[in-house]
Amino acid sequence: MKSKKLSNILTLGFALFAMFFGAGNLLLPPLIGLEVGSHYFVAMIAFGLTGILLPFTGILSVVFSGDNFNDLGHRVNKHLAAILGTIIMICIGPLIAIPRTAATTFEVGLKPFFPTLDPIWGSLIFFVITLGLAIRPSKVVDVIGNYLTPVLLILLALLIIIGIIHPTADFLPSDLTMMQSFSKGFIEGYQTLDVLASVIFAGIIISAARDKGYTDTKSKSQIVIISGLLSTTCLLFVYGGLIYLGATSGITNPEISRAELLIEISRNTLGQYGLIAIALCMAFACLTTSIALTSAVGTFFGRLTNGKVSYTVLVVLCTIISFGLSIKGVDEIINFAYPPLAFVYPITITLVIYIVLFGKTIKSKTPYIFALIASTIIAILGLLKLLGKLDESTIENLNKIPFFEYDLGWIAPSIIGFVIGLLIDRLKK
């Protein structure tokens, strides 16, 4: 019985790791290391907050609320799950995350070996495989957890361990202060999209746990939480290692792209086999995430339409849209992604954190609503700033809000909003 439980934990934990660990997770850490240099440890902590701790908190928020994101949203407002869920699914689905997985696979996994290959053909092959494996949602977790992830982890561990034992160069100097390095790591963690994905992936893992016989609330929560801890441990090792490799890469070209940097680090670390290793890593990392996200999109919108649009139709539609956008290239997709992510992240993080911290003791919806309203206002102001819609005097005034200049201005207002909502609720009673 214990061996079966351990096997289930490994399957679910590795599957969750692979769902989280996609294109951005492999490309972003080395560039962070390159930019922060000797401040790599501070940046690693910051990146770990938004790339590891908050996604795990997202898993917990769903586990504490029920079985899927709808249950989490209903803790605050019956319409929130549909509205916020739709925004999240579009971001982590066909608009940003899924196209990015295909574009990254082409640039890192195929282009170095087939420099004349048209990206259309690379994306077409990628999405044919994605569609073939995502079309049967009940098999998604087992395929990813039992077969694809172990290969991915072995290859990544090989690259990181050799890179740490035999670093290419000393730590690079950085023009960033320690606080700027922290902010860099924290904000870059947004680009992983893992906090957004966590509240969706939680439903997939919980469903898989039920299928494996964990039907009562206690055993189901326990197996999902332990599996989540396993995935976060793997992520911490990989992120820390990749940031370190970037900081000791010895590369001084500030214009180098994320894909070129990763390829160069792999070549310097593993020699002639580096390109093959990183190509396989990228293929497995992106494919597992693409499969999970495509399945999640089909499941979410199938429920949202009450089954009027079938899972199969939604998965095919998601694949076609993602295929069309993937041809733009990695850097263009990442640059395009930042404004919408900067808007939706503060709202999602606020929901997740406050539900986990206070969900069991504060049942009233009022404090959560006020906290979300405050975060949404700051998120809108932050978006306008990014889009250049605010003048200098307005930005100067907004910078008086704690951490606003570091794109973390939602923290204090959400706390104030929560307290005001709590006071209003107490006065009513």
Side-chain angles (χ1 to χ4, degrees):
M1 187 66 181
K2 287 185 177 180
S3 61
K4 182 182 178 182
K5 184 176 182 180
L6 178 60
S7 175
N8 290 333
I9 289 171
L10 291 174
T11 298
L12 296 176
F14 285 160
L16 191 56
F17 164 80
M19 289 176 187
F20 282 139
F21 194 80
N25 311 67
L26 195 50
L27 287 177
L28 294 169
L31 189 63
I32 293 172
L34 183 68
E35 293 182 353
V36 304
S38 56
H39 295 150
Y40 85 95
F41 190 72
V42 172
M44 183 181 76
I45 293 173
F47 190 78
L49 289 175
T50 45
I52 302 176
L53 182 60
L54 286 176
F56 180 62
T57 307
I59 298 289
L60 292 180
S61 69
V62 176
V63 171
F64 292 166
S65 302
D67 290 337
N68 52 56
F69 180 74
N70 286 334
D71 296 324
L72 173 61
H74 289 163
R75 290 291 303 272
V76 179
N77 181 276
K78 64 180 180 179
H79 301 298
L80 179 65
I83 297 171
L84 185 57
T86 298
I87 296 172
I88 290 173
M89 288 311 308
I90 290 173
C91 285
I92 69 171
L95 185 64
I96 299 171
I98 299 177
R100 192 174 68 182
T101 59
T104 306
T105 302
F106 172 76
E107 291 187 19
V108 179
L110 292 176
K111 192 175 180 181
F113 302 99
F114 308 101
T116 59
L117 181 67
D118 193 310
I120 291 177
W121 292 110
S123 291
L124 183 62
I125 294 168
F126 182 89
F127 283 114
V128 166
I129 297 172
T130 294
L131 183 61
L133 293 175
I135 208 75
R136 299 177 64 189
S138 62
K139 298 294 182 182
V140 168
V141 170
D142 285 341
V143 168
I144 293 174
N146 290 333
Y147 303 107
L148 299 180
T149 310
V151 177
L152 170 62
L153 274 172
I154 290 170
L155 291 170
L156 285 171
L158 183 67
L159 174 68
I160 290 169
I161 291 171
I162 292 177
I164 291 175
I165 294 174
H166 302 290
T168 305
D170 292 329
F171 289 114
L172 296 167
S174 175
D175 295 331
L176 302 179
T177 65
M178 190 170 290
M179 186 61 198
Q180 288 172 330
S181 298
F182 182 90
S183 177
K184 176 72 177 175
F186 193 93
I187 299 303
E188 284 292 306
Y190 285 4
Q191 285 281 6
T192 67
L193 284 82
D194 283 349
V195 173
L196 306 184
S198 67
V199 294
I200 306 299
F201 288 162
I204 297 176
I205 295 298
I206 290 170
S207 177
R210 272 204 314 269
D211 292 341
K212 293 182 182 299
Y214 302 93
T215 53
D216 64 281
T217 302
K218 183 179 179 181
S219 64
K220 179 184 65 181
S221 299
Q222 185 184 57
I223 198 79
V224 170
I225 290 172
I226 295 174
S227 301
L229 288 171
L230 174 61
S231 74
T232 57
T233 302
C234 294
L235 288 170
L236 180 61
F237 167 73
V238 173
Y239 288 157
L242 290 174
I243 290 174
Y244 180 88
L245 294 185
T248 57
S249 64
I251 296 170
T252 56
N253 177 14
E255 303 299 323
I256 192 168
S257 72
R258 294 171 176 86
E260 290 170 343
L261 174 61
L262 187 61
I263 290 170
E264 193 65 29
I265 289 173
S266 304
R267 186 186 285 117
N268 292 341
T269 303
L270 298 176
Q272 60 178 330
Y273 301 107
L275 282 179
I276 298 173
I278 204 62
L280 289 172
C281 281
M282 186 58 70
F284 281 114
C286 291
L287 192 58
T288 52
T289 300
S290 179
I291 294 166
L293 289 174
T294 303
S295 176
V297 168
T299 301
F300 178 85
F301 287 110
R303 285 178 181 152
L304 191 64
T305 59
N306 294 319
K308 292 178 182 178
V309 184
S310 71
Y311 172 85
T312 302
V313 170
L314 288 163
V315 164
V316 171
L317 185 61
C318 175
T319 304
I320 293 172
I321 296 172
S322 301
F323 168 71
L325 293 175
S326 66
I327 302 168
K328 290 182 176 294
V330 176
D331 286 336
E332 186 175 341
I333 294 172
I334 288 178
N335 292 334
F336 160 77
Y338 187 70
L341 294 181
F343 169 73
V344 74
Y345 246 84
I347 302 168
T348 307
I349 292 174
T350 300
L351 174 64
V352 164
I353 289 178
Y354 286 104
I355 288 294
V356 169
L357 291 178
F358 307 109
K360 289 188 176 181
T361 55
I362 300 174
K363 303 297 182 182
S364 171
K365 296 180 179 182
T366 308
Y368 304 105
I369 291 172
F370 273 75
L372 285 172
I373 290 173
S375 286
T376 302
I377 292 171
I378 297 299
I380 292 171
L381 292 171
L383 180 61
L384 292 174
K385 174 188 170 184
L386 281 174
L387 297 176
K389 302 297 183 181
L390 301 178
D391 56 46
E392 288 298 323
S393 61
T394 303
I395 293 174
E396 188 175 333
N397 288 327
L398 288 173
N399 283 340
K400 295 176 183 178
I401 299 172
F403 309 118
F404 186 88
E405 62 182 308
Y406 300 108
D407 296 324
L408 301 172
W410 53 271
I411 295 175
S414 71
I415 295 172
I416 295 169
F418 189 84
V419 172
I420 291 173
L422 198 61
L423 292 172
I424 291 173
D425 191 57
R426 292 288 186 268
L427 289 173
K428 283 181 180 180
K429 290 181 179 179

